[in-house]
Amino acid sequence: MYGDEATIRKILTGLGDTWAVVGLSANRHRAAYGVAQVLQRFGKRIVPVHPKAETVHGEQGYATLADIPFEVDVVDVFVNSDLAGGIADEAVAKGAQAVWFQLGVIDEAAYARVRDAGLEMVMDRCPAIEIPRLG
């Protein structure tokens, strides 16, 4: 419903390999940690975005999307749904090509704003589940 197969494939294979992972910290028990590892295994450069700005999986972290001094292709969002819309708006402002809301992260108004801004968007899905399905 919030991302057809063609959009998922386009984001995962056609839009670039730099993924800002919002909510990624060095906490190995959080879903973002494992998903970021999967993204790396499939050739994506991950950029941790978390208020602590920790280095995770060998990549320098940043406190906010705006702090990243280079372009990002996809913004993968691991925050509560009530915060996700603000992150989506920051992704548009940053010039990302796509926004990906993780499983359980749902904000229909943000989805509409991102799509209206011309970006690709997937919501309530996990790239670590979708990548292996691409074959």
Side-chain angles (χ1 to χ4, degrees):
M1 179 174 167
Y2 301 116
D4 58 65
E5 294 300 315
T7 301
I8 290 168
R9 181 174 295 279
K10 182 176 182 180
I11 292 172
L12 291 173
T13 65
L15 291 185
D17 292 329
T18 302
W19 284 55
V21 184
V22 180
L24 175 58
S25 71
N27 183 342
R28 297 172 183 265
H29 302 289
R30 304 291 298 189
Y33 191 89
V35 171
Q37 280 184 312
V38 171
L39 289 169
Q40 281 185 317
R41 276 201 308 272
F42 282 91
K44 307 300 182 192
R45 176 185 182 192
I46 57 107
V47 183
V49 179
H50 188 279
K52 294 180 182 177
E54 298 172 297
T55 296
V56 184
H57 302 309
E59 294 287 347
Q60 168 65 49
Y62 298 90
T64 68
L65 285 174
D67 292 338
I68 301 172
F70 48 85
E71 292 183 10
V72 297
D73 302 307
V74 181
V75 175
D76 189 6
V77 181
F78 279 92
V79 300
N80 292 328
S81 295
D82 59 341
L83 301 174
I87 301 298
D89 296 337
E90 291 175 29
V92 171
K94 178 74 179 163
Q97 298 179 62
V99 176
W100 190 299
F101 281 8
Q102 282 296 145
L103 288 171
V105 180
I106 298 171
D107 182 332
E108 293 181 3
Y111 183 87
R113 287 194 310 275
V114 168
R115 298 290 295 160
D116 288 347
L119 283 69
E120 299 294 337
M121 174 94 185
V122 171
M123 185 164 64
D124 195 27
R125 303 288 282 270
C126 179
I129 294 170
E130 301 299 332
I131 288 174
R133 292 179 350 115
L134 294 178

